[in-house]
Amino acid sequence: MSDARDVILSRVRTSLGWDGGTAPRSIRKMLAARTASPPIAVRPAIPRKDPCDSFTANLEAVAGKVVRVPGLAAVPGALIRHLDQYGLPYRLVASRDPILADIPWPGEITLRHGRAADTDRVGITGAFAAVAETGSLVLCSGEHTPTTLNFLPEDHIVVLDADRIVPYIEDVWGRIKAAFPTWPRTVNFITGPSKTGDIEQTMQLGAHGPRRLTVILVMSR
């Protein structure tokens, strides 16, 4: 496999006239500049000026739910109302996102930090970013943000700082590049709860992941 790859790439370089199999310095410089500052593609207009409004409308259009709260102190109340509405336990598996650490959790809420197990019914995380254009959440894997939290529990609750909403998908990559010295192993774009229409063309939620996706949107910290 490696030999075949080397042969193919060598032929490509030869056809480009690159002596010695190495791109000329001018080409390498051009590629480095393009990678550092990629051109901006044509982007669709976002009908709502407020990114929070666009994000909310697009997420709720795909069966997600957004609950706005004025600050972190209001997060536990919003969470408890959600848990009570669906008869869910007050025991949650959680990431170690900084936004969760800043919340004044009441005694009746129990958080277990770490990877989710198939017995965990509710998972709560932060999010690296969110996209107004599509209503998507962006979650990056890491030591304190295991990917299992996003997919194993039946209920996924995300506490999101409103300042983390960006207009377009392309904006996410620049933020990741600035925030991480090395790229995360996994970057998940999550748009709504898991769903499928494969069974008799009837939409079913929770087929391959959470049945419910709820975002508690913190408007001010």
Side-chain angles (χ1 to χ4, degrees):
M1 179 69 73
S2 178
D3 291 343
R5 177 178 179 274
D6 291 341
V7 169
I8 292 170
L9 293 179
S10 177
R11 289 176 178 173
V12 171
R13 295 187 187 101
T14 299
S15 68
L16 293 172
W18 294 357
D19 295 332
T22 302
R25 180 175 297 178
S26 60
I27 297 294
R28 297 200 303 271
K29 184 177 180 180
M30 180 272 291
L31 292 174
R34 185 180 178 89
T35 302
S37 299
I40 298 175
V42 176
R43 299 179 176 184
I46 297 178
R48 296 172 177 81
K49 292 183 178 180
D50 186 345
C52 293
D53 291 342
S54 294
F55 170 76
T56 298
N58 288 323
L59 180 58
E60 291 184 341
V62 291
K65 179 181 178 182
V66 178
V67 178
R68 298 192 187 195
V69 296
L72 291 177
V75 170
L79 173 62
I80 288 173
R81 287 190 292 273
H82 174 82
L83 298 176
D84 289 345
Q85 180 180 356
Y86 295 102
L88 295 168
Y90 285 17
R91 299 182 304 277
L92 294 80
V93 60
S95 66
R96 291 192 180 275
D97 282 283
I99 193 170
L100 299 185
D102 292 339
I103 295 171
W105 296 107
E108 61 263 40
I109 296 292
T110 301
L111 300 181
R112 178 183 67 79
H113 296 96
R115 297 179 181 178
D118 56 6
T119 54
D120 289 309
R121 296 184 61 189
V122 186
I124 186 167
T125 70
F128 176 78
V131 183
E133 176 188 11
T134 58
S136 302
L137 294 160
V138 183
L139 296 104
C140 300
S141 65
E143 180 182 0
H144 302 302
T145 53
T147 300
T148 52
L149 295 173
N150 310 333
F151 299 110
L152 276 182
E154 186 176 78
D155 263 75
H156 184 194
I157 298 167
V158 178
V159 181
L160 176 67
D161 191 328
D163 290 341
R164 289 189 172 269
I165 299 177
V166 298
Y168 297 100
I169 288 177
E170 294 90 341
D171 299 323
V172 172
W173 304 115
R175 287 203 173 194
I176 292 176
K177 187 175 181 180
F180 293 93
T182 57
W183 282 83
R185 188 172 187 182
T186 304
V187 178
N188 291 120
F189 284 75
I190 298 175
T191 310
S194 171
K195 61 181 78 68
T196 182
D198 292 343
I199 304 172
E200 298 182 352
Q201 302 301 301
T202 301
M203 188 61 67
Q204 299 289 332
L205 299 180
H208 309 293
R211 182 182 300 274
R212 286 177 288 270
L213 175 63
T214 302
V215 175
I216 301 177
L217 185 58
V218 182
M219 302 307 295
S220 176
R221 293 184 65 181

